[in-house]
Amino acid sequence: MALEKSIDCPRCEESQTFYRTAAMTLHLGEKQKWRCPECSFGFIEVNGIDTLPA
């Protein structure tokens, strides 16, 4: 599994490389926490479904 991925950060308002800070397996699948190193914005992703604002 990748430890980093590039996505648009809603707080920085530009593309950033987010780093995986934690991961665990749940009954729903794998839960991962991602964090932007520039502004410390974080989000959670469970089986590819994220909590990022639309």
Side-chain angles (χ1 to χ4, degrees):
M1 183 55 68
L3 298 176
E4 60 184 42
K5 68 167 140 179
S6 295
I7 58 171
D8 291 333
C9 179
R11 193 177 291 165
C12 295
E13 297 181 349
E14 61 183 39
S15 183
Q16 295 288 348
T17 299
F18 277 65
Y19 293 93
R20 190 171 76 171
T21 58
M24 68 184 313
T25 302
L26 305 171
H27 66 281
L28 297 172
E30 186 174 35
K31 174 184 174 183
Q32 300 179 33
K33 292 183 179 181
W34 297 88
R35 183 140 334 255
C36 174
E38 298 295 321
C39 67
S40 296
F41 176 81
F43 70 94
I44 296 172
E45 185 178 73
V46 177
N47 268 358
I49 300 170
D50 58 48
T51 59
L52 287 170

Coordinates of all heavy atoms in Angstrom, one line a residue:
M1 N 0.8 -1.2 0.0 CA 0.0 0.0 0.0 C 0.9 1.2 0.0 O 1.9 1.3 0.7 CB -0.9 0.0 1.2 CG -1.9 1.1 1.3 SD -3.0 1.4 -0.1 CE -4.0 0.0 0.0
A2 N 0.5 2.2 -0.7 CA 1.3 3.5 -0.8 C 1.3 4.3 0.5 O 0.3 4.3 1.2 CB 0.7 4.3 -1.9
L3 N 2.4 4.9 0.7 CA 2.5 5.7 1.9 C 2.3 7.2 1.6 O 2.3 8.0 2.5 CB 3.9 5.5 2.6 CG 4.2 4.1 3.0 CD1 5.6 4.0 3.5 CD2 3.2 3.7 4.1
E4 N 2.1 7.6 0.4 CA 1.9 8.9 0.0 C 1.0 9.0 -1.3 O 1.0 8.0 -2.1 CB 3.2 9.7 -0.2 CG 4.1 9.2 -1.3 CD 5.4 9.9 -1.4 OE1 6.0 10.2 -0.3 OE2 5.8 10.1 -2.5
K5 N 0.3 10.1 -1.4 CA -0.5 10.3 -2.7 C -0.7 11.8 -2.9 O -0.8 12.5 -1.9 CB -1.8 9.5 -2.7 CG -2.8 9.9 -1.7 CD -4.1 9.3 -2.1 CE -5.0 8.8 -0.9 NZ -6.2 8.2 -1.4
S6 N -0.8 12.2 -4.1 CA -1.0 13.6 -4.5 C -2.5 13.8 -4.7 O -3.1 13.2 -5.6 CB -0.2 13.9 -5.7 OG 1.2 13.8 -5.5
I7 N -3.0 14.8 -4.0 CA -4.4 15.2 -4.2 C -4.5 16.7 -3.9 O -3.6 17.3 -3.4 CB -5.4 14.4 -3.3 CG1 -5.0 14.6 -1.8 CG2 -5.4 13.0 -3.6 CD1 -6.1 14.1 -0.9
D8 N -5.6 17.3 -4.3 CA -5.8 18.7 -4.0 C -6.2 18.9 -2.6 O -7.2 18.4 -2.1 CB -6.9 19.3 -5.0 CG -6.5 19.3 -6.4 OD1 -5.3 19.4 -6.6 OD2 -7.4 19.3 -7.3
C9 N -5.4 19.7 -1.9 CA -5.7 20.0 -0.5 C -6.7 21.1 -0.4 O -6.5 22.2 -0.9 CB -4.4 20.4 0.2 SG -4.7 20.8 2.0
P10 N -7.8 20.9 0.3 CA -8.9 22.0 0.4 C -8.4 23.2 1.2 O -8.8 24.3 1.0 CB -10.0 21.3 1.1 CG -9.6 19.9 1.5 CD -8.3 19.7 1.0
R11 N -7.4 23.0 2.1 CA -7.0 24.1 2.9 C -5.9 24.9 2.2 O -5.9 26.1 2.2 CB -6.4 23.7 4.3 CG -6.2 24.8 5.2 CD -5.8 24.4 6.6 NE -6.9 23.7 7.3 CZ -6.7 22.9 8.4 NH1 -5.5 22.7 8.9 NH2 -7.8 22.3 8.9
C12 N -4.9 24.2 1.5 CA -3.8 24.9 0.8 C -4.3 25.4 -0.6 O -3.7 26.3 -1.2 CB -2.7 23.9 0.5 SG -1.8 23.4 2.0
E13 N -5.4 24.8 -1.1 CA -6.0 25.1 -2.4 C -5.0 24.9 -3.5 O -5.0 25.6 -4.5 CB -6.5 26.5 -2.4 CG -7.7 26.8 -1.4 CD -8.2 28.2 -1.4 OE1 -7.6 29.1 -2.0 OE2 -9.3 28.4 -0.8
E14 N -4.2 23.8 -3.4 CA -3.3 23.4 -4.5 C -3.0 21.9 -4.3 O -3.3 21.4 -3.2 CB -2.1 24.2 -4.6 CG -1.2 24.2 -3.3 CD 0.0 25.1 -3.4 OE1 -0.1 26.2 -3.9 OE2 1.0 24.7 -2.9
S15 N -2.4 21.3 -5.3 CA -2.1 19.9 -5.2 C -0.9 19.7 -4.2 O 0.1 20.4 -4.3 CB -1.7 19.4 -6.5 OG -1.4 18.0 -6.5
Q16 N -1.1 18.8 -3.3 CA -0.1 18.5 -2.2 C 0.1 17.0 -2.2 O -0.8 16.2 -2.6 CB -0.5 19.0 -0.9 CG -0.7 20.4 -0.7 CD 0.7 21.2 -0.7 OE1 1.7 20.6 -0.6 NE2 0.6 22.5 -0.9
T17 N 1.2 16.6 -1.7 CA 1.5 15.1 -1.4 C 1.1 14.8 0.0 O 1.7 15.3 1.0 CB 3.0 14.8 -1.6 OG1 3.3 15.1 -3.0 CG2 3.3 13.3 -1.4
F18 N 0.0 14.1 0.2 CA -0.4 13.7 1.5 C 0.3 12.4 1.9 O 0.6 11.6 1.1 CB -1.9 13.4 1.5 CG -2.8 14.6 1.6 CD1 -2.8 15.6 0.6 CD2 -3.6 14.8 2.7 CE1 -3.6 16.7 0.7 CE2 -4.4 15.9 2.8 CZ -4.4 16.9 1.8
Y19 N 0.6 12.3 3.2 CA 1.3 11.1 3.8 C 0.3 10.3 4.7 O -0.4 10.9 5.4 CB 2.5 11.6 4.5 CG 3.6 12.2 3.6 CD1 3.6 13.5 3.4 CD2 4.4 11.3 3.0 CE1 4.6 14.0 2.5 CE2 5.4 11.8 2.1 CZ 5.5 13.2 1.9 OH 6.4 13.7 1.0
R20 N 0.4 9.0 4.6 CA -0.4 8.2 5.4 C 0.2 8.1 6.8 O 1.3 7.8 7.0 CB -0.5 6.7 4.8 CG -1.5 5.9 5.5 CD -1.7 4.6 4.8 NE -0.5 3.7 5.1 CZ -0.4 2.5 4.8 NH1 -1.4 1.9 4.2 NH2 0.6 1.8 5.1
T21 N -0.7 8.5 7.8 CA -0.2 8.6 9.2 C -0.6 7.4 10.0 O 0.0 7.1 11.0 CB -0.7 9.9 9.8 OG1 -2.1 9.9 9.8 CG2 -0.1 11.1 9.2
A22 N -1.7 6.6 9.5 CA -2.1 5.5 10.3 C -3.0 4.6 9.3 O -3.5 5.1 8.4 CB -3.0 5.9 11.5
A23 N -3.1 3.3 9.7 CA -3.9 2.4 8.9 C -4.3 1.2 9.9 O -3.5 0.8 10.7 CB -3.2 1.8 7.7
M24 N -5.5 0.7 9.7 CA -6.0 -0.4 10.4 C -7.1 -1.1 9.7 O -7.7 -0.5 8.8 CB -6.5 0.0 11.8 CG -7.7 0.8 11.8 SD -8.3 1.4 13.5 CE -8.2 0.0 14.5
T25 N -7.2 -2.4 9.9 CA -8.3 -3.2 9.3 C -9.5 -3.2 10.1 O -9.4 -3.6 11.3 CB -7.8 -4.6 9.0 OG1 -6.6 -4.5 8.2 CG2 -8.8 -5.4 8.2
L26 N -10.7 -2.9 9.5 CA -12.0 -2.9 10.2 C -12.8 -4.0 9.5 O -12.5 -4.5 8.5 CB -12.6 -1.6 10.1 CG -11.9 -0.4 10.6 CD1 -12.6 0.9 10.3 CD2 -11.7 -0.5 12.1
H27 N -14.0 -4.2 10.0 CA -14.9 -5.1 9.4 C -15.4 -4.5 8.1 O -15.9 -5.3 7.2 CB -16.1 -5.5 10.3 CG -17.0 -4.3 10.6 ND1 -16.7 -3.4 11.5 CD2 -18.2 -4.0 10.1 CE1 -17.7 -2.5 11.6 NE2 -18.6 -2.8 10.7
L28 N -15.3 -3.2 7.9 CA -15.7 -2.6 6.6 C -14.6 -2.6 5.6 O -14.8 -2.3 4.4 CB -16.1 -1.1 6.9 CG -17.3 -0.9 7.8 CD1 -17.5 0.6 8.1 CD2 -18.6 -1.4 7.1
G29 N -13.4 -2.8 6.0 CA -12.2 -2.8 5.1 C -11.1 -2.1 5.8 O -11.1 -2.0 7.0
E30 N -10.2 -1.5 5.0 CA -9.0 -0.8 5.6 C -9.3 0.6 5.8 O -9.8 1.3 4.9 CB -7.8 -1.0 4.7 CG -6.6 -0.4 5.4 CD -5.3 -0.7 4.6 OE1 -5.3 -0.7 3.4 OE2 -4.3 -0.9 5.3
K31 N -9.0 1.1 7.0 CA -9.2 2.5 7.3 C -7.8 3.2 7.3 O -6.9 2.6 7.9 CB -9.8 2.7 8.7 CG -9.9 4.1 9.2 CD -10.4 4.1 10.7 CE -10.3 5.5 11.3 NZ -10.8 5.5 12.7
Q32 N -7.7 4.3 6.6 CA -6.4 5.0 6.5 C -6.6 6.4 6.9 O -7.6 7.1 6.5 CB -5.8 4.9 5.1 CG -5.6 3.5 4.6 CD -5.1 3.5 3.2 OE1 -4.4 4.4 2.8 NE2 -5.4 2.4 2.5
K33 N -5.6 7.0 7.6 CA -5.6 8.4 7.9 C -4.5 9.1 7.1 O -3.4 8.6 7.0 CB -5.3 8.7 9.4 CG -6.5 8.2 10.2 CD -6.2 8.5 11.7 CE -7.4 8.1 12.5 NZ -7.1 8.4 14.0
W34 N -4.8 10.2 6.4 CA -3.9 10.9 5.5 C -3.7 12.4 6.1 O -4.7 12.9 6.6 CB -4.4 11.0 4.1 CG -4.5 9.6 3.5 CD1 -5.6 8.8 3.5 CD2 -3.5 8.9 2.8 NE1 -5.3 7.6 2.9 CE2 -4.0 7.7 2.4 CE3 -2.2 9.3 2.4 CZ2 -3.3 6.8 1.6 CZ3 -1.5 8.3 1.6 CH2 -2.0 7.1 1.3
R35 N -2.5 12.9 5.9 CA -2.3 14.3 6.4 C -1.4 15.1 5.4 O -0.4 14.5 4.9 CB -1.6 14.2 7.8 CG -1.3 15.6 8.4 CD -1.5 15.7 9.8 NE -2.4 14.9 10.5 CZ -3.6 15.2 10.9 NH1 -4.1 16.4 10.6 NH2 -4.4 14.4 11.6
C36 N -1.7 16.4 5.3 CA -1.0 17.3 4.4 C 0.2 17.8 5.3 O 0.0 18.4 6.3 CB -1.8 18.4 4.0 SG -1.0 19.7 3.0
P37 N 1.4 17.7 4.8 CA 2.6 18.2 5.6 C 2.7 19.7 5.6 O 3.3 20.3 6.5 CB 3.8 17.6 4.8 CG 3.3 17.4 3.4 CD 1.9 17.1 3.5
E38 N 2.0 20.4 4.7 CA 2.1 21.9 4.6 C 1.2 22.5 5.7 O 1.6 23.5 6.3 CB 1.8 22.4 3.2 CG 2.7 21.9 2.2 CD 4.1 22.5 2.3 OE1 4.2 23.7 2.7 OE2 5.0 21.7 2.1
C39 N 0.0 22.1 5.8 CA -1.0 22.8 6.7 C -1.6 21.8 7.7 O -2.4 22.3 8.5 CB -2.1 23.3 5.8 SG -3.2 22.1 5.0
S40 N -1.2 20.6 7.8 CA -1.7 19.6 8.7 C -3.1 19.2 8.6 O -3.7 18.6 9.5 CB -1.4 20.0 10.2 OG 0.0 20.1 10.4
F41 N -3.7 19.5 7.4 CA -5.1 19.1 7.1 C -5.1 17.6 7.0 O -4.2 17.0 6.4 CB -5.6 19.7 5.8 CG -7.0 19.2 5.4 CD1 -8.1 19.8 6.0 CD2 -7.1 18.2 4.5 CE1 -9.4 19.3 5.7 CE2 -8.4 17.8 4.1 CZ -9.5 18.3 4.7
G42 N -6.1 16.9 7.6 CA -6.1 15.5 7.5 C -7.5 15.0 7.1 O -8.5 15.7 7.3
F43 N -7.6 13.8 6.6 CA -8.8 13.1 6.3 C -8.7 11.6 6.4 O -7.6 11.1 6.6 CB -9.3 13.5 4.9 CG -8.5 12.9 3.7 CD1 -8.9 11.7 3.2 CD2 -7.4 13.5 3.3 CE1 -8.2 11.1 2.1 CE2 -6.6 13.0 2.2 CZ -7.0 11.8 1.7
I44 N -9.8 11.0 6.5 CA -9.9 9.5 6.7 C -10.5 8.9 5.4 O -11.4 9.4 4.8 CB -10.8 9.2 7.9 CG1 -10.1 9.7 9.2 CG2 -11.0 7.7 8.0 CD1 -11.0 9.6 10.4
E45 N -10.0 7.7 5.1 CA -10.4 7.0 3.9 C -10.7 5.5 4.3 O -9.8 4.9 5.0 CB -9.3 7.0 2.9 CG -9.7 6.4 1.5 CD -8.5 6.6 0.6 OE1 -7.5 5.9 0.7 OE2 -8.7 7.4 -0.3
V46 N -11.9 5.0 4.0 CA -12.2 3.6 4.3 C -12.6 2.9 3.0 O -13.5 3.3 2.3 CB -13.4 3.5 5.3 CG1 -13.8 2.1 5.5 CG2 -13.1 4.2 6.6
N47 N -11.8 2.0 2.6 CA -12.0 1.2 1.3 C -12.1 2.2 0.1 O -13.0 2.0 -0.7 CB -13.2 0.3 1.4 CG -12.8 -1.1 1.9 OD1 -11.6 -1.4 2.1 ND2 -13.8 -1.9 2.0
G48 N -11.3 3.2 0.1 CA -11.3 4.1 -1.1 C -12.4 5.2 -1.0 O -12.4 6.1 -1.8
I49 N -13.2 5.2 0.0 CA -14.2 6.3 0.2 C -13.6 7.3 1.3 O -13.3 6.9 2.4 CB -15.6 5.7 0.7 CG1 -16.1 4.7 -0.3 CG2 -16.6 6.8 1.0 CD1 -17.3 3.9 0.2
D50 N -13.5 8.5 0.9 CA -12.8 9.5 1.8 C -13.8 10.5 2.4 O -15.0 10.6 2.0 CB -11.7 10.2 1.0 CG -12.2 11.0 -0.2 OD1 -13.2 11.7 -0.1 OD2 -11.6 10.9 -1.3
T51 N -13.3 11.3 3.4 CA -14.1 12.3 4.0 C -13.8 13.7 3.5 O -14.1 14.7 4.2 CB -13.9 12.2 5.6 OG1 -12.5 12.4 5.8 CG2 -14.3 10.9 6.2
L52 N -13.1 13.8 2.4 CA -12.8 15.1 1.8 C -14.1 15.8 1.4 O -15.1 15.2 1.0 CB -11.9 14.9 0.6 CG -10.5 14.6 0.8 CD1 -9.8 14.2 -0.5 CD2 -9.8 15.7 1.5
P53 N -14.1 17.2 1.6 CA -15.3 17.9 1.1 C -15.5 17.8 -0.4 O -14.5 17.7 -1.1 CB -15.0 19.3 1.5 CG -13.6 19.4 2.0 CD -13.1 18.0 2.1
A54 N -16.7 17.7 -0.9 CA -17.0 17.6 -2.3 C -16.6 18.8 -3.1 O -16.5 19.8 -2.7 CB -18.5 17.3 -2.5

